[in-house]
Amino acid sequence: MCGIVAYIGEKPARDLLLEGLKRLEYRGYDSAGIALLNGGLQLAKTAGRVRVLEEQVESDDRFSGCMGIAHTRWATHGEPSDRNAHPHRDDAERGHGIVIVHNGIIENYEALKTYLSDHGHVFTSDTDTEVLAHLIGHFYKGDIEASVRQALKEVTGAYAIAVMCAEEPGVLIAARKGSPLMIGVGSNEYIVASDASAIVAHTNRAIELDDDTIARLTTDSFRTSDLENVTITPQMRELEVDLEQIELGKYPHYMLKEIHEQPGAVRRCLKGRLAASEGRVVLGGLAEFAREFGRTGRVVFLGQGTALHAGMIAAHLVEDLAKIPSRADFASEFRYRNPIIEDGTVVVAISQSGETADTHAALREASRKGARTLGLVNVVGSTITRDSDAGVYLRVGPEIGVASTKAFLGQVTASVMLAVWLGRRRFLSPSDASTILEHLETVPDHIESVLRQSDQIASVVSKYVQRENWLFLGRGVNYPVAMEGALKLKEISYIHAEGMPAAEMKHGPIALIDEGMPVVVVATRSSQYEKVRSNIEEVRTRGGHVIAVATEGDESISRICEDVFYVPDVPEPLQPLLTVVPLQLLAYHAALLRGHDVDKPRNLAKSVTVE
Ligand code: AGP
């Protein structure tokens, strides 16, 4: 995904746009660009981070004016380069000075490019976005809004765009379909952005554009309409994000900040939702469907990456606590499998951003087949929340680090509450529910105690950080934790790591184990504890070095492992909320020791809003 920001108002736009790009840079960071209208069109774009662009324009007086658009890119079509960076424009010679920034994918761009080339258009990049700029120029007859509308009717795919035209200074066009776009409404100014992080510094009033909506903005007016030019009354809302939540504060990296925010994040996720002594969970977002969900015959959890790992835990919890058949699946696989959806099936989309294209598409497929759909999502008003029948917001606050941490804990916390909520409508007794919920309330304090081991974890990591292959093993509800630990290490340290059920190791991966290979094993007190100990022995007899995550007080485990990270004892269903924390810190310290950019790892973006 990419980050787009645009401004029209009475303030100088350049620095405001560059600041907005820095707040959106977690969405994509391989190249960046800016365009300003100030009597003429000034455009600069470059491969590299926003700071490279800033160095190019910050002292260039030509980049003045109170209206502009800007972009930070995660490449989909065309490698990261100056020429493929946004903004893109229509034909430099014959054009009208139409410039555009875009987040999404124009799926039929090749056919459009052929048509436009046949009509004399000359392209300078490999991107789908440049084709859209030329298409708008092709239809332009003096009204930029009308030409954008006409062009978008020819487009299939997803877009969030901001468009300006040198022949119509003072008019900014924004439009969206399938990719997020918000408009911050200030005093005689509008800030268009991919998400609230680029808006909250200027205003807390915003409009969330719906799909197939076009906005026409001037310094003193705005109008929203559909592709048939029928006026749409937009929904204004108050942004719940504040600057402190998206500032780094005392931390060196967002990932470390968000790891340390986890106790508070879990408390916020729980707040107002538990009556633990009564064994009751209150999920206001599900109230409308309480009876229907109470008769649920099957629950399917969908997600990608970390969210899928949370879904795997959620499926385990729902079967364990609510005795409802449940499974988790890659959203990207589910959506194309022509899935069988029986009556009474509830499909739950898990997503931090609420914008993951595959997860959204899978949710829509499930809905088309008659499933009731739920969203366990962090970002309020995001696409998945808007297309779900009901949902539970994670409430963990904005997550900026590309490697998801506190959102994972929010997803698992929400899943525990959902499992108890469903269970209490089935066979889970008030006392059993109360036991789980009372332990759940202690989790934030327990996370605090695990976080205090950060230096010890860093010291252990330093022994193995040069090893290029790691295994992560776990059983039961801790098997997805092993998967999550492997993903964290892979995505920020670039070390190859594989997570799997501990028993699976003997069916092939054990061949990988050589002298000193680091093998992380989640070995907490659990129903399969003795089996896990056997797996540890199997690793050690082949020379592997075991780093265990174990239950406080279990001294015996330290006699068979090289290193042990201890977590407080909680009931097995709640263990992932604690066992994942040492693995997050392990990955963080490994990435630091290997000199990588923890918050903006190579090739990644915070949310994958394209297939
Ligand atoms: C996790 O650290 C990754 N950043 C990635 O796997 C992420 O969890 C996945 O892309 C899903 O994103 P979502 O939760 O926003 O849908």
Side-chain angles (χ1 to χ4, degrees), residues 304-307 350-353 356 402-404 411 487-488 491 608:
Q304 302 286 150
T306 290
I350 300 182
S351 176
Q352 187 288 128
S353 63
T356 298
V402 166
S404 189
Q411 290 158 358
L487 174 60
K488 289 281 108 28
E491 65 176 328
V608 182

Side-chain angles (χ1 to χ4, degrees), residues 105-144:
I105 278 192
I106 308 298
E107 291 173 356
N108 61 336
Y109 85 99
E110 285 162 323
L112 294 171
K113 190 168 188 173
T114 302
Y115 168 83
L116 292 164
S117 299
D118 293 347
H119 286 74
H121 289 257
V122 177
F123 295 92
T124 60
S125 81
D126 309 320
T127 67
D128 55 341
T129 306
E130 188 188 13
V131 173
L132 183 53
H134 279 252
L135 187 63
I136 295 169
H138 180 72
F139 290 125
Y140 186 74
K141 295 183 180 58
D143 179 342
I144 186 64

Side-chain angles (χ1 to χ4, degrees), residues 11 131 316 393 436 503 542 552 585 597:
K11 296 175 189 146
V131 173
H316 197 102
Y393 278 122
I436 286 285
R542 288 156 180 85
E552 279 173 1
L585 289 167
D597 185 332

